Structures are given as structure tokens and as C-alpha cells.
Amino acid sequence: MGLTECRRLLALAANGHRHGHLGISTAGLPSVLPVDYAFDGHDVLVIVGDSLFGRLAGQITAFQVDGVEPDSVTGVQHPWSVLLCGPAVEEDSTAAAVRPLPRVSMPGHRLVRIRGHSVTGRRLGPVRPPSECPIGP
């Protein structure tokens, strides 16, 4: 899937208030956290607390979101997944054009921009109704 399509899907999911997953390294081990996000041009914005911000600032992070799009003719659901990777930098919350709408009670107050240095995506096969799925050998 091309860069333009990946960015379109990131924006579509953000506008639909889908959550994504933030991948970071903590003491050499991977950690993946669900987060609400906003999409701003080429980058993802998330709101985090001070503790998580201390682990994110200046680090290369990964952000991933999944979704489905129905075919406008057949109505068949087409799953997709987009991965954005880049450095995490603090964003001035007063200057930000867009902000995530957090659905957690205390999301924190640090606005973090994940720069989209690498954006990739893939589409998966269409989702078939259970009645159409083959059963065992």
C-alpha cells in the first residue's frame, strides 16, 4: 500500500476516534500500549503522562492502527493495518492544530508528536461471513 493511502487511512481512523497502539522499548523489552490519537499531516499526536513521556522523549517509537473498509459495491469488509515509525518529540499543546480526544479518565497532559519518518501498510483479505468460511479438514 502506498504512502498516500496509508496517510488517508491514518486520518480516517483518527477521525473515527479509533484507538491505536504505541510501541516503545522499556529496559530493552518491547511495550505496546493502546492510545487515542490525532493525525496531523504526516505525524501522529498522542497525550501521555509524565512517566510515559520520560520513556518516549527523543526515542524512536512505533504507532500502529487497524481498521476495515467496506467495498462500496459489494459491502465486503476489507481489513487494513498501518504502521508509522519515527522519533517522539514533545509538542507545544497551545500551538497544536489538532489534539487527540482521550477516552481515558486521566490521560496525562504531555502532547507528543510521533514523526512519520517511515509509514507502511498492508491490506488483508476480505472478511467473509462465518457461513462462507471452510470448517476443518
Side-chain angles (χ1 to χ4, degrees):
M1 169 179 342
L3 180 60
T4 301
E5 180 68 355
C6 288
R7 288 182 177 153
R8 182 185 75 79
L9 292 171
L10 281 165
L12 180 71
N15 290 339
H17 305 291
R18 293 190 66 83
H19 73 279
H21 293 91
L22 182 64
I24 62 173
S25 178
T26 303
L29 298 173
S31 181
V32 178
L33 308 165
V35 292
D36 295 304
Y37 78 102
F39 187 65
D40 185 24
H42 301 268
D43 305 330
V44 163
L45 296 166
V46 298
I47 297 175
V48 300
D50 287 329
S51 175
L52 181 55
F53 176 77
R55 294 184 286 166
L56 281 177
Q59 300 297 312
I60 299 296
T61 59
F63 174 83
Q64 182 265 330
V65 65
D66 299 324
V68 294
E69 267 191 316
D71 182 291
S72 60
V73 176
T74 65
V76 172
Q77 298 288 320
H78 292 276
W80 55 265
S81 183
V82 173
L83 176 68
L84 178 143
C85 297
V89 296
E90 185 166 24
E91 180 80 2
D92 180 356
S93 62
T94 61
V98 295
R99 292 179 56 90
L101 297 173
R103 291 177 283 175
V104 295
S105 61
M106 298 178 69
H109 65 280
R110 305 294 281 268
L111 185 61
V112 175
R113 177 177 294 273
I114 302 168
R115 300 207 180 274
H117 286 189
S118 170
V119 182
T120 58
R122 74 172 28 172
R123 290 193 179 275
L124 294 88
V127 176
R128 297 187 297 185
S131 62
E132 296 179 19
C133 294
I135 303 210

